[in-house]
């Protein structure tokens, strides 16, 4: 299974899925729960991959004192009408 009991990426599954074509790991923080960012950052560092957080479902959440979406190489937030922050459509990327 690719997700763990937090409903986010399982770092062991991520490690097993990496191929030479892998460029980015993109955890989706879901329903206010956050991925194990320490483990995912370690994998990214080991394989020289980017960590791109999808934080739209955990807007305002934090991980070890840092806001979700600001921990990886970039964070994304979509503004679809069913997301936490809405404005019809669109989104934002933060470095």
């Amino acid at each position: 299974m690719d997700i763990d009991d937090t409903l986010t990426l399982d770092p062991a599954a991520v490690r097993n899925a990496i191929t030479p074509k892998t460029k980015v790991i993109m955890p989706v923080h879901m329903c206010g729960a956050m991925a194990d960012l320490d483990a995912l950052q370690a994998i990214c560092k080991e394989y020289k991959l980017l960590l791109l957080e999808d934080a739209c479902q955990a807007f305002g959440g934090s991980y070890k004192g840092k806001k979700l979406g600001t921990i990886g190489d970039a964070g994304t937030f979509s503004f679809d009408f069913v997301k936490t922050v809405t404005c019809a459509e669109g989104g934002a990327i933060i470095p």
Side-chain angles (χ1 to χ4, degrees):
M1 182 166 271
D2 293 340
I3 61 170
D4 58 21
D5 57 354
T6 66
L7 302 178
T8 64
L9 280 178
D10 178 354
V14 168
R15 183 178 294 280
N16 290 332
I18 293 173
T19 72
K21 293 183 177 185
T22 304
K23 304 294 182 219
V24 174
I25 295 174
M26 187 172 183
V28 178
H29 306 301
M30 196 64 194
C31 301
M34 67 283 309
D36 183 349
L37 292 172
D38 289 338
L40 295 176
Q41 282 182 313
I43 293 168
C44 286
K45 184 175 181 180
E46 179 181 343
Y47 290 93
K48 296 181 175 76
L49 302 172
L50 295 175
L51 181 62
L52 178 61
E53 296 175 77
D54 180 339
C56 65
Q57 296 285 2
F59 188 79
S62 61
Y63 180 83
K64 297 186 177 182
K66 292 185 176 181
K67 292 294 183 185
L68 295 174
T70 67
I71 299 166
D73 294 291
T76 64
F77 299 87
S78 61
F79 303 145
D80 188 86
F81 68 95
V82 297
K83 303 297 179 158
T84 306
V85 177
T86 65
C87 64
E89 293 290 335
I93 298 174
I94 56 173

